[in-house]
Amino acid sequence: MKRNLFDRFADWAVCFTGSAGAFIGASLLVIIWAATGPIFKFSEVWQMVINTGTTIITFLMVFLIQKGQNKDSKAIQIKLNELIASHEQASNKMVDIEDLTEEELDELHKFYERIGKAPKRKSEPRKSNPDDGHTKVRYK
C-alpha cells in the first residue's frame, strides 16, 4: 500500500504525541521554562516563549488529530457496514447512516428506543428493521 508523505507523518505524529515519552518531554519543557522564570525575571519575553510555542503546537495538532479521527471513523464505519451486511435481519438503511440529517438520526433513535422498551416475545424473533423488506445487500 503506497501512502504519501503527509499520511505517514500524520500516523507517526499521532502515535508519538499519544505516547508517554511525548507527555514526559512536554512536561519537562514546561518545568524547564518555569525554572528559568527567575533567571529572566518573569519577563514578557519569557512568557511569550511558552505562549507562542504552545499556541503553534496546539494549532498544528488540531489538524493531525482530525486526520487521525477521520481515518479511524472511516475504518469503524466500514467495519460496522460489514457487520450490518452480514446479518440477515439487519436493515440496509443502517449502512450509510452517517449521511443522514440530524432529524433523520433522531427519528431512528426514537424507533430503536421503542424497540428496546417493547416486551419481548419468546415464540417469534423480533424484527428490528425500520424499512420492512428492503433487499439485502451482500458483499462477496
Side-chain angles (χ1 to χ4, degrees):
M1 175 189 306
K2 191 174 181 179
R3 297 183 319 159
N4 65 36
L5 181 63
F6 178 70
D7 286 340
R8 289 193 312 260
F9 172 75
D11 288 344
W12 172 84
V14 167
C15 186
F16 172 73
T17 56
S19 70
F23 177 78
I24 291 168
S27 298
L28 284 174
L29 280 173
V30 170
I31 291 168
I32 290 168
W33 170 81
T36 61
I39 296 168
F40 293 102
K41 297 181 172 86
F42 302 99
S43 68
E44 285 187 29
V45 172
W46 173 80
Q47 291 177 25
M48 289 287 279
V49 166
I50 198 74
N51 289 341
T52 304
T54 55
T55 300
I56 291 169
I57 290 169
T58 301
F59 178 75
L60 295 174
M61 286 303 299
V62 165
F63 298 101
L64 290 175
I65 291 167
Q66 189 61 52
K67 171 131 178 66
Q69 285 189 336
N70 288 349
K71 181 180 176 182
D72 289 347
S73 179
K74 192 178 290 186
I76 288 169
Q77 287 301 322
I78 292 168
K79 290 175 184 180
L80 290 172
N81 289 348
E82 174 63 19
L83 289 172
I84 291 168
S86 69
H87 193 278
E88 195 151 320
Q89 290 182 339
S91 169
N92 286 334
K93 279 186 176 179
M94 298 300 124
V95 171
D96 289 328
I97 196 170
E98 64 275 7
D99 296 330
L100 297 178
T101 65
E102 194 74 31
E103 291 77 24
E104 291 168 324
L105 288 172
D106 289 342
E107 222 173 280
L108 277 172
H109 179 74
K110 288 174 186 170
F111 172 80
Y112 283 103
E113 276 184 333
R114 286 192 305 273
I115 286 177
K117 292 176 184 174
K120 296 178 184 174
R121 294 185 208 155
K122 292 182 182 178
S123 60
E124 66 181 68
R126 182 169 45 160
K127 186 171 184 171
S128 65
N129 190 339
D131 60 356
D132 294 327
H134 279 222
T135 331
K136 191 69 195 158
V137 173
R138 290 284 177 201
Y139 296 114
K140 294 180 181 181

